[in-house]
Amino acid sequence: MDRLDNTVRPYAWGSITAIPRLLGVEPTGEPQAEMWMGAHPGAPSGTARGPLNQVIDQDPERELGPAAVAKFGPRLPFLLKILAAVAPLSLQVHPDLAQAKEGYEDEERRGIPIDAGHRNYKDANHKPELICALTEFDGLCGFRAPGAAADLLAGLDVDSLKPYVDLLHAHPDEAALREVLTAVLTADREEMAHTVTETAAACSRLGGAYAPYADIAHHYPGDPGVIAAMLLNYVQLQPGEALFLGAGVPHAYLNGLGVEIMANSDNVLRCGLTPKHVDVPELLRIVRFEASDPGVLRPEASPDGEEVYETPIDEFRLSRYVLAAGAVSQDLTRATPQILLCTAGTVQAGEFTLSPGESVFVPAAEKAEVSGPGTIFRATVVV
């Protein structure tokens, strides 16, 4: 196995202290938003054998295993991260696999540069993802029932929100949500900024269930995404709980530290809470206008102590082991590639001693024994 040297991304929404605290190092004074573990070409993890993407490229079948290569191609199909948010990320959705392929091919035909600010599809892959809380973690996930969204908006007693309340009451679920989100994102920007300002003031005054939206508006004053966010379920995860974000489900992370895993893609369509490009027509084509429960996941324990976060995705499988002091070591050897990440205590992984925030890559079929005391997350694939 290979100890990983991982890149930390300094996005503006990132916490200055959370990742350094986990790693036991001094903060730099700059935001540290995401630590990437994997072979993504944008920031591949380093190993003693070279960057992980190059190591895999040299012998994909040895590193990934024949079954994974046959199913996903000669690339590691997931990206593992530690994510530390202190401000809201953009409100966004991801395409399904067919939509991603169609969108990517269309933009390629039209000659849109891959790094263009208005490009939606950077690759032909979907981007399902899972976030597992390490601390209390706040987010938005999926649409509220229209009646519940109408009640939330009506409670603010803001005149310019009343047309949205009426629309939410007047139509069946899908049509109501589509009409209101469309109206919010296509409204006159100056008028919408005034509505958001009034909404933010009312949220601050009322507090309680409105407090998260006051905080969102503080970070994104005048942004239509503040109103769009009120159409979504607010979720507060406790440590160990998780959310799965499938295709077309609008979501945003607001605050907290977590382990995130996703299919290896950069495809994001934004709804708001961002200075970046918002392609409203394409967004409306991708969003699934379905009211849904956010579906908080709790791990399912197996007899050998593995706690699995079950998802309908094969590109990644995330599980957790809480390893007791003095217990017999666990054999995690698999015929698929793995990344093992320590998040608490001290974990012995093969020849490496891992402290919180440290990780290793385990090639397919490579011997992988771990012991504690500590907590380790295991990322792999389903073949």
Side-chain angles (χ1 to χ4, degrees), residues 78-233:
F78 64 82
L79 176 64
L80 185 67
K81 299 179 181 180
I82 293 175
L83 181 145
V86 76
L89 282 67
S90 62
L91 188 60
Q92 59 189 258
V93 296
H94 306 301
D96 64 25
L97 192 55
Q99 291 164 339
K101 288 180 177 177
E102 181 184 347
Y104 178 78
E105 290 169 1
D106 174 64
E107 290 184 329
E108 287 289 281
R109 278 195 302 270
R110 290 191 283 141
I112 300 174
I114 201 73
D115 57 353
H118 65 288
R119 177 146 182 166
N120 295 315
Y121 298 96
K122 304 298 178 66
D123 52 70
N125 200 13
H126 61 166
K127 193 187 177 187
E129 57 191 23
L130 176 80
I131 184 77
C132 178
L134 293 177
T135 65
E136 199 170 81
F137 193 97
D138 299 344
L140 304 171
C141 178
F143 285 109
R144 297 175 185 267
D151 290 344
L152 190 71
L153 294 175
L156 292 168
D157 197 26
V158 172
D159 286 344
S160 53
L161 292 178
K162 289 178 181 176
Y164 304 138
V165 173
D166 292 341
L167 282 172
L168 289 166
H169 282 310
H171 300 284
D173 285 12
E174 181 176 332
L177 294 168
R178 179 182 291 276
E179 287 202 34
V180 173
L181 184 63
T182 302
V184 167
L185 296 181
T186 57
D188 178 84
R189 296 290 293 191
E190 189 172 329
E191 291 179 7
M192 179 52 67
H194 180 70
T195 296
V196 172
T197 299
E198 285 191 305
T199 299
C203 288
S204 296
R205 183 178 68 255
L206 292 169
Y210 294 101
Y213 306 100
D215 184 65
I216 292 170
H218 168 74
H219 289 286
Y220 295 98
D223 193 305
V226 174
I227 309 301
M230 299 187 75
L231 302 175
L232 306 187
N233 297 298

Side-chain angles (χ1 to χ4, degrees), residues 130-137 235-244 257-259 295-299 309 318 320 377:
L130 176 80
I131 184 77
C132 178
L134 293 177
T135 65
E136 199 170 81
F137 193 97
V235 186
Q236 192 168 69
L237 300 178
Q238 298 304 311
E241 295 181 334
L243 285 175
F244 172 70
L257 181 71
V259 174
V296 174
L297 294 176
R298 295 171 182 85
Y309 293 90
L318 186 71
R320 181 181 70 173
F377 280 83

Side-chain angles (χ1 to χ4, degrees), residues 358-379:
E358 295 182 331
S359 56
V360 293
F361 172 73
V362 185
E366 197 82 10
K367 188 70 172 175
E369 288 193 348
V370 298
S371 59
T375 299
I376 196 161
F377 280 83
R378 175 199 224 182

Side-chain angles (χ1 to χ4, degrees), residues 14-88:
S15 169
I16 292 173
T17 58
I19 289 178
R21 187 182 301 121
L22 179 72
L23 296 173
V25 300
E26 288 297 315
T28 64
E30 298 295 320
Q32 297 191 36
E34 295 180 349
M35 186 169 75
W36 288 21
M37 290 158 280
H40 192 288
S45 297
T47 76
R49 296 187 287 158
L52 185 56
N53 59 333
Q54 294 181 17
V55 169
I56 292 171
D57 286 346
Q58 288 165 8
D59 194 345
E61 290 217 348
R62 179 189 180 281
E63 304 297 332
L64 305 178
V69 172
K71 188 166 186 176
F72 306 111
R75 301 288 183 270
L76 188 68
F78 64 82
L79 176 64
L80 185 67
K81 299 179 181 180
I82 293 175
L83 181 145
V86 76

